[in-house]
Amino acid sequence: MQRVTPIARIRSRSESTSTSLSLNIRTADGDTVELSFDATSLKQTETGKLQTSAGKAAYSRTSQSDSFNFSAKVSGDLNDQELADIGSLLQSLQSGEPSESSPSSLDSYTGSFSQTTSISNETFRLYG
């Protein structure tokens, strides 16, 4: 029995990550702030090898695309203390550490975060 070997092999990998974050803040005097952020990253890599009686060849290709969207909506008139407290809240969320001072001008805040990653790997073989 003769062993058949491929004359070409192509490997393809793609990785996609989507992230979204939303934050809704209500100040003590009724102003509202809505912040939203989403980002998507896609990376694709392809490599190939070809071997024939005439010789060998190889190639590699990588592409990446990223998108980023941010929006902010403010209803009301934020004063200096509210802006400072919102800034402190955002810093504590970024660092993961509690704020050093209580955001006295903020009545409530809620948020959500999600992240999804998908990976696919494929191999194609061509026999001659």
Side-chain angles (χ1 to χ4, degrees):
M1 180 178 199
Q2 183 180 8
R3 182 175 175 199
V4 178
T5 57
I7 61 169
R9 180 174 29 215
I10 299 170
R11 290 189 173 143
S12 175
R13 174 182 169 92
S14 67
E15 183 174 335
S16 174
T17 301
S18 297
T19 305
S20 66
L21 171 74
S22 66
L23 182 63
N24 297 307
I25 302 168
R26 182 175 181 86
T27 65
D29 63 1
D31 302 329
T32 60
V33 178
E34 298 173 27
L35 304 173
S36 66
F37 153 84
D38 66 78
T40 302
S41 177
L42 174 63
K43 182 176 182 178
Q44 295 179 305
T45 303
E46 188 174 275
T47 58
K49 293 181 181 181
L50 174 67
Q51 182 173 342
T52 66
S53 59
K56 296 179 181 180
Y59 78 96
S60 178
R61 179 181 66 97
T62 300
S63 65
Q64 181 160 350
S65 64
D66 298 298
S67 67
F68 175 84
N69 297 301
F70 176 79
S71 68
K73 179 181 175 186
V74 177
S75 298
D77 185 21
L78 299 176
N79 61 41
D80 290 340
Q81 183 61 50
E82 292 167 335
L83 289 171
D85 286 346
I86 291 170
S88 293
L89 173 63
L90 294 175
Q91 285 178 344
S92 71
L93 290 172
Q94 179 184 7
S95 69
E97 299 291 326
S99 179
E100 292 180 13
S101 62
S102 174
S104 60
S105 69
L106 304 184
D107 182 41
S108 64
Y109 52 90
T110 59
S112 66
F113 173 80
S114 71
Q115 185 170 44
T116 305
T117 299
S118 64
I119 298 171
S120 76
N121 291 298
E122 298 175 326
T123 300
F124 304 96
R125 290 179 177 87
L126 177 63
Y127 296 90

